[in-house]
């Protein structure tokens, strides 16, 4: 396929064998010959070896006379900075491969990485002893108070997202025993389902899904895995037990892996095992395995959230241990109610127990009584009223004295755009560009990013659009990139620091943003700016990238507005100097509070010390607003304080008239703003700023809202 897509004549794939430290030829199409006239098979030989060693594309245009090929192009296969192999393309034409081809070939290669890694892994497995199957136990749990991950209600049957459930599949009394033919039929059905799901999800979530079902499809085609199941069946073991046993063997093997990313593949094996079993028993369509269910899960990967969303899961109960806020943010974007509770016994809850999940209060009820269900239905009715309020939203927001306030949306994934428009956002005040990076299997190429960003630009044309450059690190770790273990990731190689340490990744992103917005005004902002120099270095890279694109003759945006997120306390002391360099400020209150109060925003143990209303936070925000006004710079708030009605009066009172928030909060915030009078807000802010204790500010804020 690569040969035909690239219009080449030959292609060869080399993979690096970690054990023998050699790059070996694994597949080829056409006769692929290097400068020595041989098919290179060892590291260091030929162009593929050079590309692999130097971790960059290598091209020759007029070389190999005796091989019949004149042009060659080799690209390393990388996962982050890890080298996996190299691919070589050849053509009989002279100077055949262009710069554009290098980019395209790189994008194709990036897509192949997960598939290749999975294949390598499956090859390397043999089949150790069978693990025992643990049966679920019934437990007595009634009501559990947890924390809100993503708002919304769900009422449905429970299902535990865990390997234990493989034990559910039993031939019941009166049913015929399953046969090997049933097994083979189930394999075919499962494969068809997976392909169909891949297609649907690609359409729905173009920006964040790469080939998320490819690992599972490959497992179905893996002769050693399927063969092991068949061998057991040949020895008289019932098909369901053979599937279960081999799946558990693989899970055990994955569990031993040191690489976290590879270890996570255990969930894919479990998932594929469940699908085969479901299809074999024909009891229900595994496509809808989680449809309308409340899923209980110990740990969740972002790709699992996508899969669950695809299957129209009703809600998610996430147990402590695997809490990462981007999983919650994603659940919000996908409209899946999610509650985080610290109750591991839930994992042993009998499947099919009825669960009521209240994502507004952050609690769950198990086998709720009639009264609890009635109260829940009443709440849902109120929620339906909320939906009617949403229909009454105005395109522009003004305070009750007519002062204009701009309401923008925070976008995590492109699917949020539809909600943002439905809720009349005037633009995008924060596009968290790291989500495609977090959810795909590898760094998206410049081309891929350009396609994603262009979608956003086209969708929001004519409105304000702010791209926030990569905010990797902290709780947003890339599973495929080993950043090394950091004792304090929130104080580590995070955000703009990561970008400035990895200029290839950063420049690639900047180029993609500038290219995608060639015909539109856009704003670019850098997260976690801690000094003026840091901002200037990042800004200069944007301007240099624009210069490079101009020299290359590529359409691009040459003069974007460039701003800084205000979320690190050190920047407050040099805020005037920063204002002279930056076009705008956007206050990221989530991190500003975290760093100012030294309270980890994801740590449950210190959640009661996380005070947005701490006088130091309020006063520092006032300083930022004043500096912005002094230098006539645009200022907005894009952290969660912008969607909390308690703080809006204060923020307006210190002169901030632009907010960017999760679009689902827009109706509520618009209503609140429409009731505010500018002069009264100023007086209120002055009074609040006069309070020196957290208790006093809390009291005043509560009184005012009442
Ligand atoms: C913030 O810190 O307030 C912010 C908006 O950025 P994020 O939540 O993505 O860190
Ligand atoms: Mg932040």
């Amino acid at each position: 396929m690569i040969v035909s897509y690239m219009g080449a004549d030959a292609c060869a794939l080399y993979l690096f064998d970690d054990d023998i430290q050699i790059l070996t030829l694994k597949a080829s199409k056409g006769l692929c010959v290097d400068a020595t006239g041989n098919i290179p098979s060892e590291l260091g030989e030929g162009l593929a070896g050079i590309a692999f060693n130097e971790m960059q594309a290598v091209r020759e245009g007029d070389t190999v006379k005796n091989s019949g090929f004149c042009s060659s192009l080799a690209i390393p296969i990388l996962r982050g900075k890890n080298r996996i192999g190299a691919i070589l393309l050849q053509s009989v034409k002279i100077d055949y491969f262009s710069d554009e081809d290098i980019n395209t070939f790189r994008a194709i290669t990036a897509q192949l990485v997960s598939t290749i890694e999975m294949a390598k892994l499956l090859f390397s497995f043999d089949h150790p002893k069978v693990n025992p199957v643990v049966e679920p136990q019934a437990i007595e749990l009634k009501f559990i108070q947890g924390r809100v991950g993503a708002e919304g209600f769900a009422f449905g049957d429970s299902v535990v997202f865990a390997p234990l459930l493989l034990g559910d599949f039993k031939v019941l009394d009166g049913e015929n025993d399953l046969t090997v033919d049933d097994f083979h039929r189930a394999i075919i059905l499962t494969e068809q389902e997976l392909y169909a799901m891949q297609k649907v999800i690609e359409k729905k979530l173009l920006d964040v899904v790469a080939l998320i079902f490819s690992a599972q499809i490959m497992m179905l085609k893996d002769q050693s895995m399927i063969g092991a199941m068949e061998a057991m069946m040949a020895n008289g073991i019932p098909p369901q037990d053979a599937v279960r046993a081999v799946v558990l063997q693989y899970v055990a093997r994955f569990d031993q892996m040191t690489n976290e990313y590879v270890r996570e593949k255990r969930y894919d094996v479990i998932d594929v095992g469940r699908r085969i079993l479901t299809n074999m028993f024909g009891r229900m369509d595994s496509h809808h395995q989680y449809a309308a269910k409340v899923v209980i899960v110990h740990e969740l990967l972002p790709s699992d959230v996508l899969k669950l969303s695809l299957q129209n899961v009703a809600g998610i109960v996430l147990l402590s241990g695997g809490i990462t806020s981007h999983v919650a943010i994603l659940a919000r974007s996908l409209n899946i109610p999610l509650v985080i509770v610290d109750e591991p016994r839930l994992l042993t809850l009998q499947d099919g127990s009825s669960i009521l999940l209240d994502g507004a209060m952050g609690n769950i009820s198990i086998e709720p009584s009639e009264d609890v269900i009635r109260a829940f239905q009443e709440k849902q009715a109120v929620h339906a009223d909320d939906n009617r309020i949403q229909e009454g939203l105005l395109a522009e927001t003004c305070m009750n004295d007519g002062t204009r306030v701009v309401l923008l949306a925070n976008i995590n994934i492109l699917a949020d755009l539809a909600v943002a428009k439905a809720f009349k956002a005037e633009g995008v005040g924060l596009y968290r560009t790291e989500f495609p990076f977090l959810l795909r299997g590898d760094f998206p190429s410049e081309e891929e990013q350009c396609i994603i960003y262009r979608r956003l630009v086209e969708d929001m044309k004519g409105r304000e659009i702010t791209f926030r450059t990569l905010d990797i690190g902290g709780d947003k770790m890339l599973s495929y990139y080993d950043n090394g273990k950091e004792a304090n990731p929130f104080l580590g190689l995070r955000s703009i620091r990561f970008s400035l340490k990895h200029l290839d990744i950063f420049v690639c992103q900047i180029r993609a943003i500038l290219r995608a917005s060639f015909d539109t005004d856009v704003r670019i902002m850098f997260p976690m700016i801690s000094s003026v120099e840091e901002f200037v270095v990042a800004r200069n890279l944007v301007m240099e990238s624009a210069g490079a694109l101009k020299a290359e003759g590529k359409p691009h945006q040459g003069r974007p507005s460039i701003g800084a997120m205000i979320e690190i306390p050190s920047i407050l002391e040099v805020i005037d100097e920063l204002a002279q360099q930056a076009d705008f400020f956007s206050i990221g209150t989530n991190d500003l509070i975290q760093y100012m109060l030294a309270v980890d925003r994801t740590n449950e143990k210190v959640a009661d010390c996380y005070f947005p209303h701490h006088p130091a936070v309020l006063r520092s925000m006032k300083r930022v607003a004043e500096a912005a006004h002094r230098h006539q710079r645009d200022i907005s708030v894009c952290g969660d304080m912008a969607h909390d009605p308690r703080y809006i009066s204060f923020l307006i009172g210190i002169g901030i008239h632009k907010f960017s928030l999760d679009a689902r909060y827009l109706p509520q915030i618009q209503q609140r703003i429409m009731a505010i009078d500018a002069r009264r807000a100023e007086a209120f802010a002055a009074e609040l700023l006069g309070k020196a204790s957290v208790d006093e500010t809390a009291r005043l804020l509560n009184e005012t809202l009442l």
Side-chain angles (χ1 to χ4, degrees):
M1 284 169 77
I2 293 173
V3 166
S4 98
Y5 185 77
M6 299 293 295
D9 297 302
C11 179
L13 167 75
Y14 300 85
L15 295 184
F16 187 63
D17 188 321
D18 299 303
D19 294 335
I20 49 173
Q21 296 283 302
I22 281 180
L23 194 65
T24 48
L25 180 71
K26 288 289 181 192
S28 72
K29 165 86 182 166
L31 189 64
C32 221
V33 183
D34 76 351
T36 62
N38 298 316
I39 294 180
S41 61
E42 293 211 338
L43 177 57
E45 287 181 21
L47 231 50
I50 300 172
F52 178 81
N53 279 328
E54 296 183 0
M55 294 172 75
Q56 59 182 357
V58 190
R59 174 175 46 174
E60 284 177 353
D62 184 10
T63 46
V64 195
K65 300 291 180 245
N66 58 345
S67 68
F69 295 114
C70 295
S71 301
S72 305
L73 171 61
I75 298 260
I77 307 170
L78 306 170
R79 164 158 319 274
K81 300 279 179 206
N82 290 336
R83 295 177 299 178
I84 291 164
I87 309 192
L88 178 69
L89 263 187
Q90 294 194 306
S91 166
V92 292
K93 297 187 193 122
I94 294 178
D95 286 333
Y96 184 66
F97 297 110
S98 65
D99 287 350
E100 216 55 67
D101 287 336
I102 297 183
N103 286 337
T104 310
F105 194 27
R106 222 183 246 136
I108 293 173
T109 308
Q111 288 285 323
L112 287 176
V113 175
S114 300
T115 311
I116 292 171
E117 277 197 324
M118 194 64 209
K120 270 182 84 174
L121 209 66
L122 290 171
F123 283 140
S124 72
F125 280 0
D126 55 7
H127 310 289
K129 65 180 184 346
V130 178
N131 280 6
V133 175
V134 186
E135 296 296 336
Q137 307 155 14
I139 51 161
E140 262 299 316
L141 286 170
K142 274 315 272 182
F143 176 85
I144 304 168
Q145 181 63 53
R147 289 191 296 136
V148 178
E151 288 191 15
F153 301 101
F155 182 35
D157 287 350
S158 70
V159 53
V160 177
F161 194 68
L164 296 177
L165 283 204
L166 290 175
D168 285 354
F169 296 90
K170 293 191 187 96
V171 177
L172 304 175
D173 287 344
E175 275 183 351
N176 290 334
D177 284 344
L178 292 169
T179 64
V180 178
D181 282 348
D182 292 326
F183 168 76
H184 285 128
R185 256 194 302 277
I187 298 285
I188 293 169
L189 261 177
T190 307
E191 193 179 328
Q192 287 168 352
E193 269 171 21
L194 290 171
Y195 275 121
M197 283 165 71
Q198 178 69 39
K199 278 251 147 354
V200 173
I201 202 156
E202 267 169 24
K203 212 161 162 196
K204 197 167 154 188
L205 298 163
L206 152 120
D207 51 335
V208 281
V209 300
L211 301 169
I212 68 168
F213 292 105
S214 68
Q216 295 187 22
I217 292 172
M218 190 176 298
M219 285 171 193
L220 292 174
K221 292 182 186 295
D222 180 50
Q223 208 26 57
S224 56
M225 181 188 264
I226 300 302
M229 293 174 184
E230 287 167 341
M232 289 178 98
M233 289 177 232
N235 282 333
I237 296 178
Q240 67 275 21
D241 293 343
V243 170
R244 192 162 33 232
V246 173
V247 164
L248 291 177
Q249 284 167 12
Y250 272 73
V251 168
R253 298 299 301 270
F254 279 116
D255 283 348
Q256 286 163 13
M257 297 288 159
T258 45
N259 180 323
E260 198 180 326
Y261 175 75
V262 177
R263 242 191 350 258
E264 286 167 357
K265 295 277 175 227
R266 77 194 301 278
Y267 298 109
D268 278 313
V269 193
I270 294 162
D271 206 36
V272 92
R274 285 190 58 82
R275 283 177 198 285
I276 298 172
L277 288 166
T278 320
N279 280 326
M280 207 151 67
F281 279 84
R283 291 205 182 122
M284 60 175 170
D285 179 2
S286 69
H287 207 110
H288 303 294
Q289 199 174 322
Y290 302 113
K293 297 268 165 70
V294 176
V295 171
I296 302 167
V297 55
H298 181 250
E299 215 172 0
L300 207 54
L301 303 173
S303 57
D304 293 324
V305 185
L306 295 177
K307 288 176 194 167
L308 291 172
S309 147
L310 186 70
Q311 294 185 38
N312 295 322
V313 66
I316 299 175
V317 180
L318 184 61
L319 305 187
S320 63
I323 298 167
T324 58
S325 69
H326 66 259
V327 163
I329 288 176
L330 187 62
R332 261 183 259 156
S333 288
L334 295 167
N335 233 345
I336 307 175
L338 183 143
V339 167
I340 301 159
V341 298
D342 182 11
E343 181 44 271
R345 285 184 302 158
L346 274 172
L347 286 176
T348 59
L349 189 70
Q350 196 66 48
D351 227 13
S353 310
S354 86
I355 289 202
L356 203 157
L357 181 154
D358 183 345
M361 301 303 290
N363 60 47
I364 59 168
S365 305
I366 297 135
E367 299 295 354
S369 65
E370 287 297 318
D371 287 349
V372 174
I373 296 172
R374 206 172 310 113
F376 163 76
Q377 282 161 345
E378 279 163 17
K379 257 185 160 178
Q380 269 199 319
V382 175
H383 199 64
D385 278 348
D386 282 353
N387 290 339
R388 271 195 290 281
I389 292 170
Q390 287 159 14
E391 282 158 25
L393 263 164
L394 301 175
E396 293 191 345
T397 307
C398 291
M399 293 194 268
N400 76 1
D401 60 316
T403 313
R404 186 82 164 81
V405 173
V406 176
L407 292 183
L408 306 162
N410 289 351
I411 300 292
N412 303 319
I413 62 175
L414 292 182
D416 292 332
L417 285 170
V419 186
K421 286 205 287 197
F423 288 84
K424 306 227 170 67
E426 291 189 56
V428 175
L430 165 68
Y431 173 35
R432 291 184 165 104
T433 57
E434 58 276 8
F435 274 84
F437 286 76
L438 286 166
L439 297 167
R440 282 169 169 256
D442 201 356
F443 291 110
S445 66
E446 182 182 320
E447 300 304 316
E448 286 174 291
Q449 289 181 60
C450 197
I451 292 169
I452 295 167
Y453 302 159
R454 185 69 195 160
R455 277 262 178 115
L456 181 120
V457 167
E458 280 178 351
D459 228 51
M460 282 284 160
K461 237 192 187 133
R463 308 184 205 199
E464 183 170 309
I465 302 172
T466 306
F467 283 87
R468 194 244 324 254
T469 61
L470 270 186
D471 191 10
I472 293 298
D475 67 327
K476 293 183 228 164
M477 292 299 187
L478 299 175
S479 57
Y480 50 85
Y481 180 80
D482 188 4
N483 213 5
K485 246 213 152 16
E486 293 184 297
N488 296 300
F490 278 104
L491 303 180
L493 193 58
R494 207 199 134 178
S495 214
I496 192 69
R497 296 174 189 166
F498 178 94
S499 297
L500 294 180
K501 271 255 161 64
H502 298 91
L503 288 183
D504 48 343
I505 297 167
F506 188 47
V507 168
C508 179
Q509 173 172 50
I510 299 290
R511 287 171 58 93
I513 296 172
L514 296 177
R515 285 177 56 201
S517 57
F518 68 93
D519 57 353
T520 315
D521 285 339
V522 286
R523 314 194 328 159
I524 297 178
M525 68 180 176
F526 309 123
M528 269 191 75
I529 288 293
S530 64
S531 69
V532 179
E533 299 88 295
E534 206 170 36
F535 177 81
V536 170
V537 169
R539 188 196 56 197
N540 289 348
L541 283 164
V542 174
M543 298 324 293
E544 281 165 25
S545 301
L549 286 168
K550 188 167 181 206
E552 290 165 32
K554 291 198 167 126
H556 66 283
Q557 170 57 250
R559 183 58 183 99
S561 289
I562 304 177
M565 283 193 76
I566 306 299
E567 37 188 8
I568 307 288
S570 61
I571 208 67
L572 298 170
E573 298 300 326
V574 285
I575 197 74
D576 279 293
E577 289 83 347
L578 184 67
Q580 284 162 14
Q581 303 292 339
D583 294 326
F584 65 92
F585 291 156
S586 188
I587 306 179
T589 54
N590 304 342
D591 278 318
L592 183 65
I593 298 164
Q594 153 164 278
Y595 293 118
M596 184 152 255
L597 306 183
V599 177
D600 179 346
R601 64 192 258 197
T602 64
N603 184 344
E604 239 178 309
K605 295 196 180 89
V606 287
D608 57 349
C609 302
Y610 188 90
F611 301 123
H613 55 280
H614 192 296
V617 173
L618 302 177
R619 291 177 192 186
S620 59
M621 293 182 79
K622 159 92 168 151
R623 279 178 73 186
V624 178
E626 279 175 348
H629 295 145
R630 253 194 313 279
H631 297 270
Q632 285 98 44
R633 295 294 185 250
D634 182 75
I635 174 145
S636 57
V637 172
C638 63
D640 285 3
M641 266 174 99
H643 75 226
D644 190 333
R646 288 203 316 162
Y647 303 115
I648 294 298
S649 235
F650 165 75
L651 296 173
I652 287 176
I654 59 172
I656 299 177
H657 291 166
K658 188 187 274 187
F659 303 102
S660 188
L661 45 144
D662 184 333
R664 289 162 191 83
Y665 294 99
L666 283 171
Q668 198 186 357
I669 293 301
Q670 185 177 70
Q671 286 224 323
R672 175 87 190 118
I673 291 172
M674 283 161 59
I676 293 175
D677 173 272
R679 268 218 295 277
R680 283 179 52 197
E682 258 172 55
F684 171 67
E687 190 182 354
L688 196 64
L689 289 164
K691 307 286 178 201
S693 79
V694 174
D695 285 348
E696 284 174 297
T697 53
R699 207 171 311 124
L700 188 56
L701 282 160
N702 288 338
E703 279 166 12
T704 310
L705 200 62
L706 295 174

